[in-house]
Amino acid sequence: MELGATACERPPLLEVKRNLELKTALVKASSRLPLPGTRLKRGPDQMEDALEPAKKRTRGLGAVTKIDTSRPRGTLLSTVSQTQGPAAAQKGPKKTGLRGCTTVGPVLKNQKPAPAVPAQKPGTSTAPMVVGKRPGKRPAWDLKGQLFDINEELKRYREKTQKLDKENQGLQEQLREAQEQAEALGTERNTLKGELASVRTQAEQSQQKLDTLCVRVLELEECLGTKERLIQELQRGQLELQEERKALATRLEEQERRLQTSEAALSSSEAELACLRQRTAAQATSLAEQGDRLHGLEMERRRLHNQLQELKGNIRVFCRVRPVLAGEPTPSPGFLLFPHGPAGPADPPTRLSLSRSDDRRSTLTGAPAPTTRHDFSFDRVFPPGSKQDEVFEEISMLVQSALDGYPVCIFAYGQTGSGKTFTMEGGPGEDPQLEGLIPRALRHLFSVAQEMNGQGWTYSFVASYVEIYNETVRDLLATGTRKGQGGECEIRRAGPGSEELTVTNARYVPVSCEKEVEALLQLARQNRAVARTAQNERSSRSHSVFQLQISGEHAARGLQCGAPLNLVDLAGSERLDPGLTLGPGERDRLRETQAINSSLSTLGLVIMALSNKESHVPYRNSKLTYLLQNSLGGSAKMLMFVNISPLEENVSESLNSLRFASKVNQCVIGTAQANKK
Ligand code: ADP
Ligand code: MG
């Protein structure tokens, strides 16, 4: 049995099973055991069978009694053999025996003794023979003898009858005892039957209980199986948890060790920190002192820088001659000369000599045309081989002045194709070497502003880019639907009573890095390109003004400074040949040229008026001077690039440009004042 196999593993269940087995065994055993007070060795079911032999015995006894009491066997046999001979004697006992048997029952029941030989006729019987003695046959005449024999015989029968009566009495006694015993056994049987019934009921109940218990055992076994599986799972889980706990304990120990180490390190660090704090406090004090000193030095630097610029002149003129481009005729040697300064070749050139042949004189004399040399002197002259970075180096100090709070204006003046745009914006393509003054100046500003940040100065920059064509202002940073169109831009004061000027409808874009500036220059190029499709070569016929409003603040000291930096690519300065006959389409060109010439000469006049400290400065005579009025004169610093073509064919325009520039170069505008608040 399965229970037996697992008994040792689950004692409680085994107990239940054992009890059940024991009970079953007891029930079976009780059915086999004799009940108290009985001597039966059989089961209750066999009780009747057990009783049967007793009955049979009783009945058998009854039959014997009947036979014995009805007739004595030996006597009867001997009587027959004597009276009827051997043949009759053989038949006789059968008849009498049968007859005796059929009559015994009622005799016994009624307790009436039957006559010994009722069927025998006295007449037919002869003198009885004494069986034991076998006397010889008496003669017929010996009646006396015969009577004697008969009496003797009768006497023996009487004795025998008495003996049989006694025997009969004994047997009846036995019968009575047997009947009593049978009655007792009957009673006992009934009792046993009752007990058997109750035992059966008990057995049935026990069976039912057993069945219920079996079902319960099955349920419990099932439940036990489930629980065992659950226990196994739980044990597995417990093992896993124990493993995890071990790992965690190990980690905890490790962490604790590290914590201890860290705490030790922390305490030493705290000591170090305290020490460092003291040193920091001392350094902060010294830093503050140094900051004060630095600020003083910065102020001194600004003052000296400005003094230097003033010594160099608030109006400076640089002359730049572009190289001969591929496909252009090489000018004759000596056409343009760049004489050394007093310090020799190491001295940066400041002079330029241009020779011009007088064609009219050669025609008159027939001799080769004589050449006239025209010498010019400027603050700096850049020969054709000069690189963009060299040029910028010379103006970087001016850009610094803009950061220090002085308005700065840088112009590029010259005929179309002389290199103004190349100087201002840069050459074609992405070559960083060819970058012009605008991207370089802004990069320089951003970098210096960053350095000044360390000294407590915060700078911000806002850019705008407009062009003035035919005395109309157009935004070069326009986007969307306004892109490439003239747009209605007007120069207005920023507010009533304000000195600041602003261009309506123009975009003012905050910039803080080179990429943003590059994007703006790209946008301006696109806008010019769109315009060029409508009006040919307009870019060279208009002034492009890149304005950067610089604002600086030293919050800690409550200082502010701000100034505009203007980088102006002027329209081509070439004039129309007065002798030229103009077609209908060229009338517009004439108007354009007159407008350009007018605005350029106004610029010259404004500079002159400022130089001569005249009361009236004709700013309003052109949009350009009107827009730039806050960056010209007074505290402003101005630099003019005069761009010159190296070609002999442009000599006339080159001379005109150089003469204009020379006039400007002679101007001195009063001491510049920084716009400090
Ligand atoms: P402008 O703006 O005065 O009309 P550009 O700047 O457009 O003249 O110059 C005319 C041409 O000469 C351009 O192709 C330009 O690349 C080239 N150029 C001008 N200056 C230089 C220079 N310094 N080095 C090389 N090429 C130059
Ligand atoms: Mg140009």
Side-chain angles (χ1 to χ4, degrees):
M1 207 173 173
E2 280 177 43
L3 271 172
T6 55
C8 59
E9 293 168 23
R10 29 177 216 274
L13 190 71
L14 174 70
E15 202 59 40
V16 171
K17 291 211 103 178
R18 271 187 187 159
N19 288 343
L20 279 169
E21 282 170 359
L22 200 58
K23 218 159 199 178
T24 315
L26 278 170
V27 168
K28 281 179 186 170
S30 67
S31 64
R32 284 195 300 269
L33 281 170
L35 290 168
T38 64
R39 260 177 262 141
L40 285 172
K41 288 183 183 175
R42 296 194 182 121
D45 296 338
Q46 295 163 310
M47 206 71 81
E48 272 180 86
D49 297 336
L51 289 170
E52 282 307 306
K55 278 185 181 175
K56 283 172 189 168
R57 270 198 312 274
T58 317
R59 277 197 291 271
L61 279 170
V64 170
T65 311
K66 275 184 267 178
I67 290 163
D68 288 349
T69 49
S70 62
R71 183 179 295 230
R73 269 174 288 181
T75 313
L76 188 63
L77 281 170
S78 60
T79 308
V80 170
S81 64
Q82 281 206 352
T83 53
Q84 294 182 348
Q90 277 178 341
K91 291 175 189 173
K94 262 188 185 175
K95 280 183 183 174
T96 52
L98 280 169
R99 203 183 288 155
C101 280
T102 50
T103 53
V104 165
V107 173
L108 259 178
K109 282 179 186 171
N110 298 329
Q111 296 285 315
K112 288 175 185 173
V117 190
Q120 198 174 14
K121 293 173 184 175
T124 58
S125 68
T126 56
M129 294 289 285
V130 178
V131 178
K133 286 184 181 177
R134 285 206 182 244
K137 202 172 178 180
R138 291 182 188 268
W141 52 268
D142 193 4
L143 289 172
K144 218 178 172 175
Q146 287 179 9
L147 185 63
F148 176 77
D149 287 345
I150 289 167
N151 282 333
E152 278 298 312
E153 183 89 357
L154 188 66
K155 207 168 100 187
R156 277 197 304 272
Y157 274 121
R158 274 182 188 144
E159 283 171 5
K160 204 147 192 167
T161 305
Q162 280 173 356
K163 197 178 162 190
L164 283 171
D165 280 344
K166 276 182 191 171
E167 209 173 316
N168 191 23
Q169 274 177 1
L171 284 170
Q172 278 185 352
E173 194 69 30
Q174 276 182 16
L175 177 65
R176 200 174 54 248
E177 278 174 15
Q179 279 173 342
E180 279 170 9
Q181 203 176 346
E183 271 176 31
L185 283 170
T187 315
E188 195 179 314
R189 177 172 165 259
N190 289 337
T191 316
L192 285 172
K193 264 187 180 176
E195 281 177 10
L196 180 66
S198 80
V199 165
R200 270 183 182 155
T201 314
Q202 273 182 16
E204 278 169 11
Q205 285 173 353
S206 298
Q207 189 61 42
Q208 279 175 359
K209 274 186 187 170
L210 185 64
D211 291 346
T212 318
L213 283 170
C214 280
V215 172
R216 181 77 186 127
V217 165
L218 285 174
E219 283 174 5
L220 285 170
E221 271 179 359
E222 208 172 300
C223 183
L224 183 68
T226 317
K227 293 260 164 76
E228 273 176 351
R229 280 193 296 278
L230 192 67
I231 285 167
Q232 280 172 359
E233 276 175 26
L234 285 170
Q235 279 171 344
R236 270 199 301 278
Q238 193 187 9
L239 281 174
E240 283 170 13
L241 283 172
Q242 278 172 352
E243 289 296 316
E244 210 173 308
R245 187 174 153 272
K246 270 185 199 168
L248 282 171
T250 317
R251 272 182 61 195
L252 186 67
E253 277 175 20
E254 175 69 20
Q255 300 276 5
E256 275 173 354
R257 268 201 303 278
R258 282 171 60 186
L259 186 67
Q260 282 171 358
T261 320
S262 301
E263 276 174 354
L266 185 69
S267 59
S268 79
S269 296
E270 275 173 352
E272 262 179 54
L273 187 69
C275 183
L276 282 171
R277 275 204 180 119
Q278 283 178 351
R279 281 170 59 188
T280 309
Q283 280 175 356
T285 317
S286 122
L287 207 64
E289 287 168 9
Q290 282 180 7
D292 287 345
R293 265 186 61 208
L294 198 66
H295 181 71
L297 287 170
E298 169 62 17
M299 289 298 119
E300 182 63 9
R301 184 201 61 74
R302 285 187 185 197
R303 194 183 62 78
L304 290 171
H305 178 81
N306 192 48
Q307 231 173 37
L308 180 69
Q309 298 303 311
E310 278 173 5
L311 286 172
K312 283 188 174 181
N314 281 340
I315 295 181
R316 269 178 280 171
V317 178
F318 290 177
C319 175
R320 186 179 193 186
V321 181
R322 75 158 170 85
V324 177
L325 304 174
E328 286 181 340
T330 314
S332 49
F335 168 63
L336 272 173
L337 294 172
F338 303 92
H340 297 303
D347 220 11
T350 54
R351 289 157 60 200
L352 174 138
S353 174
L354 182 144
S355 65
R356 182 188 189 186
S357 61
D358 195 340
D359 292 339
R360 279 184 303 166
R361 282 170 65 185
S362 70
T363 317
L364 287 171
T365 59
T371 55
T372 316
R373 291 214 75 80
H374 300 272
D375 293 327
F376 296 93
S377 177
F378 298 104
D379 293 291
R380 178 75 200 264
V381 171
F382 293 99
S386 306
K387 300 291 172 209
Q388 296 282 59
D389 54 348
E390 280 178 59
V391 178
F392 177 71
E393 210 180 307
E394 277 299 313
I395 68 139
S396 65
M397 301 295 267
L398 265 187
V399 173
Q400 178 68 55
S401 285
L403 269 183
D404 293 347
Y406 299 94
V408 174
C409 250
I410 300 175
F411 294 101
Y413 182 96
Q415 69 174 117
T416 299
S418 61
K420 299 184 296 295
T421 306
F422 184 92
T423 300
M424 281 300 173
E425 288 190 22
E430 301 289 311
D431 188 355
Q433 299 283 327
L434 299 183
E435 273 185 344
L437 295 184
I438 298 175
R440 283 172 195 268
L442 271 93
R443 185 157 60 240
H444 180 74
L445 284 173
F446 294 145
S447 137
V448 174
Q450 191 98 31
E451 283 172 25
M452 299 286 279
N453 208 23
Q455 292 180 32
W457 285 94
T458 312
Y459 282 95
S460 62
F461 307 93
V462 179
S464 67
Y465 206 178
V466 297
E467 73 171 5
I468 300 167
Y469 170 74
N470 248 350
E471 292 302 284
T472 56
V473 182
R474 188 169 153 265
D475 185 13
L476 284 176
L477 302 182
T479 51
T481 50
R482 290 174 59 238
K483 203 170 177 177
Q485 293 174 6
E488 288 299 311
C489 292
E490 288 297 330
I491 303 163
R492 294 256 188 279
R493 297 216 169 264
S498 168
E499 289 289 303
E500 204 181 325
L501 291 171
T502 183
V503 179
T504 59
N505 291 332
R507 280 178 72 210
Y508 286 82
V509 186
V511 285
S512 56
C513 67
E514 281 175 68
K515 280 192 177 171
E516 288 170 359
V517 176
E518 180 49 44
L520 293 185
L521 294 180
Q522 183 66 30
L523 180 61
R525 272 195 285 273
Q526 283 176 7
N527 275 326
R528 278 203 208 99
V530 173
R532 188 153 53 227
T533 56
Q535 288 157 319
N536 193 30
E537 283 298 330
R538 201 171 95 176
S539 67
S540 63
R541 318 294 300 155
S542 62
H543 311 297
S544 298
V545 183
F546 182 89
Q547 280 193 314
L548 187 76
Q549 186 60 47
I550 303 168
S551 310
E553 187 184 12
H554 196 300
R557 298 183 187 278
L559 292 173
Q560 284 180 331
C561 66
L565 168 69
N566 302 279
L567 297 153
V568 187
D569 184 355
L570 292 168
S573 59
E574 65 274 9
R575 294 156 304 168
L576 279 180
D577 191 341
L580 221 67
T581 47
L582 293 171
E586 286 170 320
R587 296 237 166 77
D588 291 343
R589 180 80 186 261
L590 179 66
R591 261 201 304 282
E592 269 180 23
T593 310
Q594 283 169 346
I596 293 162
N597 289 343
S598 161
S599 68
L600 287 174
S601 58
T602 303
L603 179 64
L605 287 172
V606 165
I607 294 168
M608 295 291 186
L610 287 167
S611 174
N612 298 336
K613 296 193 174 23
E614 289 172 14
S615 56
H616 175 70
V617 182
Y619 291 119
R620 288 183 172 270
N621 284 7
S622 80
K623 287 277 164 66
L624 179 70
T625 49
Y626 185 60
L627 179 64
L628 295 175
Q629 61 183 289
N630 290 332
S631 303
L632 296 169
S635 61
K637 299 180 190 305
M638 199 189 92
L639 172 71
M640 183 172 280
F641 275 96
V642 55
N643 288 92
I644 299 294
S645 161
L647 307 180
E648 283 184 278
E649 63 189 52
N650 298 132
V651 69
S652 176
E653 287 302 329
S654 296
L655 272 174
N656 276 333
S657 296
L658 288 165
R659 282 181 187 133
F660 176 83
S662 287
K663 272 190 211 165
V664 173
N665 200 32
Q666 285 158 17
C667 296
V668 176
I669 299 176
T671 308
Q673 295 291 318
N675 289 339
K676 284 183 194 156
K677 289 169 193 169

